[in-house]
Amino acid sequence: MAGTPFSQQVLKPTNAAKKLGVYLPATPPEFQEHGITRAELEELEKNPPQWLDELRRHGPHPRPVVAGRLGISIAGLARGGVTEPLTTEQIDELRDDPPAWLLAERETAAKVREEEDRVKAKAAEQAERQARRAR
């Protein structure tokens, strides 16, 4: 029995919104109520309708987008008390006049990135050593 072709697989609205980087409750009712195929999702990416452009430009944005725009983790947002989606204007206000919690979370995020880079470099160095020994 053959499965559904990849492009015809239907995504739940929640997953489609995640892939598009938008806050599901802010999407049009027809998007929220019906699954969309991967082909339709690809078409939305290539030729976004006005509602999608507006949501991406102005929000409200889901937590992963908010966290990314602020340069912190989703957990950092929660620690800062941000539990609701934010608009682009609200994100810009936080960027322009960052509260103490945001500055602390940015510092934490920078340390995490430094540690991730250090671990990657160490792993690459070990892989290179092993490759030299294998020659």
Side-chain angles (χ1 to χ4, degrees):
M1 181 162 133
T4 305
F6 186 75
S7 66
Q8 294 307 306
Q9 289 176 354
V10 177
L11 295 169
K12 293 178 184 176
T14 316
N15 293 336
K18 277 184 194 170
K19 289 192 177 289
L20 292 170
V22 294
Y23 182 56
L24 181 61
T27 61
E30 60 272 10
F31 183 88
Q32 294 178 41
E33 295 163 5
H34 307 288
I36 67 168
T37 65
R38 290 185 180 277
E40 290 169 330
L41 181 72
E42 194 175 303
E43 183 59 28
L44 284 173
E45 286 283 9
K46 286 181 188 171
N47 300 303
Q50 184 176 355
W51 67 263
L52 183 54
D53 272 341
E54 288 295 312
L55 266 181
R56 286 178 166 169
R57 193 172 298 121
H58 303 290
H61 303 287
R63 287 179 306 159
V65 173
V66 174
R69 289 187 178 187
L70 292 175
I72 62 174
S73 67
I74 294 172
L77 275 181
R79 286 189 293 269
V82 178
T83 57
E84 297 298 314
L86 299 180
T87 64
T88 299
E89 186 178 334
Q90 291 168 313
I91 293 168
D92 289 345
E93 287 172 7
L94 284 172
R95 275 194 199 146
D96 293 343
D97 188 17
W101 68 265
L102 180 55
L103 296 173
E105 288 300 333
R106 283 180 174 165
E107 197 172 303
T108 299
K111 287 177 185 171
V112 168
R113 283 190 296 274
E114 284 174 18
E115 179 62 11
E116 287 171 346
D117 290 346
R118 186 192 68 75
V119 169
K120 275 185 199 171
K122 186 176 179 180
E125 187 179 303
Q126 287 174 337
E128 189 177 316
R129 259 191 256 127
Q130 286 179 342
R132 269 190 255 134
R133 276 189 245 141
R135 288 183 199 153

